[in-house]
């Protein structure tokens, strides 16, 4: 982990907090939710309302879709961005959307509150530099083949342009296992917290690609100390134009959010109780601490 | 997932419960802890007492160590088993220890309460069959290169010999990432629960190989619904003859256990509260349930 | 392998031949050689002369270098292209150089005879489309994490823009093996020949990252039926600003080229002898043919 | 590559030559061929005759088959060994067959000229030690997840028991690519030659799992300097009880063998011509030599 001048964590350095639309990312727990692709105005608005009502703090939705085949649905482009803009006005949710071309960074940035750089473009260094120059908050997904060191170096490309608003997102890596779409590597949560001051979200939708795994992996991410989640939700997943298999219904998302919130609350209470015990000099509170900066219970304090 | 006649899960089938030394594995949460290798009587006894006092229900310890190099410490063999036996008598903890040779299954089985088959021997089919014939409870670790389907087929080899006491253990797979020793694949917890009736433990010690990751990954495993944990603990890790880098001190293990227990308790309470709400006909309790058999909150009820 | 409308091979379809600077790629065996990075005029000119004298048909050299760290040497940019242009004028060798940004495709295309798209940008779909629109011959390297199906779909992106001049290049994939820099997957040579009509080169420099492996892997690629090689050569590898460990000296490259040429000649002679025998009705020539389109001996006929 | 006391190559040390049934392995090029499984006497005898007539020097055939599922055909056991013995008497071909259990090493060794240890048992250290004690020549396949360093350490286990007759065999590793059954890593040929004095064969049948790839990958292995090949051949592949998709017909094998022999002859002639030129003081013969011990042309001299 050499040469991470800006993304690396110095001893006793505090974690970064990145404020977007009133959410203090890295401190407040952030859930970004929404459809894989923006398909129609109605689909987007109804999904946006549903995820807001369930407690999501931002809306995701793809207007430019990187697809394996050139003949697959490529997204609505500008039309999709305008739909997202309308959804933002109606729900108040800030928008997270992907940018895939250096030429698009500035104008897509006018619609997006956070620009997402996807797994396939993680080492598109021109795009990283342009994202850095834009000054916009950037959600940088881990490449499906990238090591922690490479990933943090990609954050470094953005930071080196003077933009310190970088949020990382683990979304699964490619392995030999074919049961799941990718192998969600939750060990990156404590690893990023140890090596960097940047916040890290987890995307269990792409990370597993399997509906029934999204909730257990979301709860696991929370318990591991993640700073948030990005989850695909669609008002009517059966009709989705992409990622049909992994988008939650609004109902399933609501249940998931209730459980995530409960787990977060429990962890925050426990962390405060432990801090109190330590302040009172309770010897049990002191022993065996693994290092507070890497401690998921302490991390849970909002 | 064809042909899993005995290990596969039939619709609405209950999960298996395997009783060993008073622990109902699959129902009670099980923590197995102890040193990587049995080195001396004192090291083993002191570690055994420490893990028992912290709440572990079984003692692990290797007497036969599969090592990459023939010149590395290979374990104490019979002498190690005798030390484990003494530790069992003094602490009351059942013993989990690895067997690596078909010829050893029957006599090692006289010392072990659970026979462990390690990752490197997962597809040693002769050993699986012998383990099946022994009738002893078997802890079957996932091979570092094995798919879920191959792993369950290995369980099938044991079950096909008439031995239904198989416990699975995820311990990390081999990927391109070199920051961690292995990539711990927690998605196997819901995957095994969906495809099989067998219980599944998680080993975060081998799964990460990094001390500060063991606690967050343990908590994540609990939140994902794992049936237990296997963790390496050593009274004096600095002096350990193997896996020096990943064995917890007794103090760190005690803190970890307190947090694991708290998280388990919280999940069990929440599951009961949800069950009550559903019984009362609360509509919120019904919506969006992802399927009770795959539901980590419900799984948490002890 | 669905939906490869343009890159897929139809039964009995001939392989594509792409003519660049007098070389009929897919029919003539093509060796592209030159430095990893263009560093100075002298380094480039002297390397260009050396590789031309040894029999290379095109010059490679990077002016835009995708590097893991933003603080590593990033290439000379336009200055580098001008040096390549001078080398082309002095040696007559067509130029192969990488493009990394959609905005650069058209002006870099004025210097390059073949535009290279590197492994990290293989799924930069915007760049692929722009490369397609340019009409220039494109050398498309396999992503280090990409399946054959994904790779051919990336070729499809270029072809779908009306540009049929796509040349593939296997350069090693990322696996768990750390002895080599990448794992060179020579099975892609017959695989591409079976599934596509496009030519395929092999890059043993990146594919192994180890000097002494470049010759045996080059000869293996020839024997497997590859349509050419891309090899890094530097007049003084010790002083190279990138990929120091894997650039051949001119002397080593000359020896390699002599052996490659001899092997090619042998294979072409054998293929003609087999064709003659078949024409004469020799039964031995007919039996056991594995399918002529996939037959490396037949492929060797220039 | 530490601690390879016996398997590692010392500077200027000659390569090992292991004599089995008149073949000097490491010096003579060795082709082992035969069915995946011994199924019937007629199938085995007819295949044995066919491979002998085509030029194979040894017969392979599995009597104990490690299979993913316990319900798949497991081999004929002792009956299979007796059929192999009969085939040996009728054809004169030495027998190569797999052993999977420590208890079987001594009696299977009475039928086998070379005992094969398969990929799944590569790190079955008890079996390696027993194979070492047997004194029989051992064909050690690379595990599908094993690094070069781990593989050579497994050879070290055998050598450390006083048995110096170890032959390595690359058979493909597990990667994310699903087009091929495994990814054949031919770079292991020069790697093993650089790091060890042991001979290395290549198995393109398991290494690709695809019929039309076996010939090009065989020729590539020869060009890379392999010491031999292990190839699956079946008199009637359509009816095979295992590995139906990757067994060559006798006709295809005959064609393959003719081409392999021609390529070997060409390489040997070239190596002699180069040696002569060097002896005459031809400067061209001296320049750019990559190191004779790693030189596939020199390796080709029988």
């Amino acid at each position: 982990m050499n040469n991470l001048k800006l993304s690396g964590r110095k001893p006793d350095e505090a974690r970064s907090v990145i404020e977007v639309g009133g959410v203090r990312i890295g401190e407040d727990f952030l859930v970004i939710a929404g459809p894989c692709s923006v398909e129609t105005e109605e689909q987007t608005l109804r999904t946006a309302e549903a995820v807001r009502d369930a407690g999501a703090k931002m809306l995701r939705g793809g207007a430019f879709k990187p697809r394996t085949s050139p003949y697959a649905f490529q997204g609505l482009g500008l039309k999709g961005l305008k739909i997202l803009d309308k959804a933002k006005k109606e729900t108040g949710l800030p928008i997270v959307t992907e940018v895939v071309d250096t030429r698009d960074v500035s104008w897509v940035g006018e619609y997006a509150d956070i620009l997402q750089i996807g797994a396939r473009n993680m080492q598109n260094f021109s795009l990283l530099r342009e994202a850095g120059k834009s000054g916009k908050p950037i959600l940088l997904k881990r490449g499906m083949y990238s090591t922690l060191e490479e990933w943090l170096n990609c954050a470094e490309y953005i930071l080196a342009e003077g933009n310190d608003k970088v949020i990382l997102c683990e979304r699964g890596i490619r392995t030999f296992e074919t049961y799941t779409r990718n192998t969600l590597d939750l060990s990156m949560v404590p690893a990023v917290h140890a090596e960097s001051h940047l916040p890290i979200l987890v995307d269990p939708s792409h990370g597993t690609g399997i509906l029934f795994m999204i909730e257990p992996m979301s709860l696991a991410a929370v318990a591991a100390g993640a700073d948030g989640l990005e989850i695909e939700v669609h008002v009517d997943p059966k009709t989705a134009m992409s990622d049909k298999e992994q988008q939650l219904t609004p109902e399933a998302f609501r249940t998931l959010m209730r459980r995530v919130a409960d787990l977060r609350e429990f962890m925050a209470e426990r962390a405060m109780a432990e801090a109190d015990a330590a302040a009172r000099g309770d010897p049990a509170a002191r022993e065996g601490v693994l290092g507070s900066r890497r401690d998921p219970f302490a991390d849970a304090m909002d």
Side-chain angles (χ1 to χ4, degrees), chain A residues 1-5 8 147-150 152-153 188 191 195:
Chain A
M1 297 291 161
N2 293 320
N3 239 352
L4 297 175
K5 296 182 196 176
T147 62
L148 173 62
E149 186 160 10
E150 290 168 337
L152 293 178
N153 267 292
M188 285 298 107
E195 301 293 341

Side-chain angles (χ1 to χ4, degrees), chain A residues 12-258:
Chain A
D12 300 317
E13 189 187 12
R15 293 210 192 137
S16 287
V17 172
I18 298 165
E19 191 159 345
V20 180
V23 182
R24 294 175 54 79
I25 306 168
E27 200 173 89
D28 302 342
F29 191 80
L30 170 64
V31 178
I32 303 170
C36 176
S37 302
V38 176
E39 297 164 6
T40 67
E41 189 174 307
E42 203 204 332
Q43 165 248 13
T44 306
L45 295 188
R46 283 183 50 209
T47 306
E49 287 159 11
V51 302
R52 181 201 54 196
D53 293 348
K57 296 289 182 222
M58 298 195 190
L59 178 67
R60 63 151 287 149
F64 298 93
K65 300 301 304 171
R67 302 300 297 277
T68 300
S69 167
Y71 309 120
F73 173 61
Q74 305 277 320
L76 297 181
L78 175 57
K79 191 178 157 197
L81 294 176
K82 287 184 173 166
I83 292 173
L84 287 170
D85 199 47
K86 190 157 184 193
K88 177 181 177 177
K89 281 179 186 124
E90 300 216 354
T91 61
L93 294 177
I95 299 300
V96 181
T97 198
E98 182 163 356
V99 64
V100 298
D101 192 317
T102 47
R103 297 170 300 192
D104 301 342
V105 171
S106 90
W107 69 270
V108 174
E110 291 178 26
Y111 293 91
D113 296 280
I114 297 182
L115 286 171
Q116 180 169 306
I117 294 184
R120 286 170 186 76
N121 276 313
M122 189 199 80
Q123 287 195 317
N124 179 342
F125 301 116
S126 294
L127 188 61
L128 295 176
R129 271 192 287 251
E130 208 64 27
K133 284 176 196 150
S134 75
K136 299 287 297 185
I138 306 296
L139 184 62
L140 179 64
K141 296 202 133 186
R142 183 185 186 189
M144 65 181 78
Y145 62 100
S146 97
T147 62
L148 173 62
E149 186 160 10
E150 290 168 337
W151 190 17
L152 293 178
N153 267 292
C154 289
E156 193 79 18
Y157 267 92
I158 300 168
L159 295 161
E161 297 293 334
N163 182 351
D164 60 1
K165 301 194 207 69
V166 179
I167 304 140
L168 301 168
C169 184
E170 159 67 26
R171 46 76 74 206
I173 55 173
R174 184 164 279 188
T175 68
F176 58 80
E177 177 62 78
T178 53
Y179 184 82
T180 44
R181 182 172 174 180
N182 290 288
T183 297
L184 187 66
D185 182 5
L186 288 178
S187 75
M188 285 298 107
V189 173
V192 163
H193 282 173
E195 301 293 341
S196 176
H197 53 84
L198 298 171
I200 174 170
L201 311 186
V202 170
D203 171 352
S205 304
H206 290 89
T208 66
I210 298 180
L211 220 48
F212 75 79
M213 288 188 169
I214 294 171
E215 181 175 308
M217 290 299 99
S218 294
L219 297 171
V222 170
D227 296 301
L229 297 167
E230 183 173 22
I231 295 177
E232 289 188 348
V233 179
H234 191 290
V235 275
D236 189 10
K238 290 185 306 299
T239 68
M241 298 174 77
S242 55
D243 284 0
K244 207 185 287 265
E245 303 304 316
Q246 71 191 35
Q247 303 201 54
L248 291 180
T249 59
E251 293 70 32
F253 180 65
R254 196 149 55 214
T255 302
L256 166 61
M257 284 299 283
R258 202 172 53 228

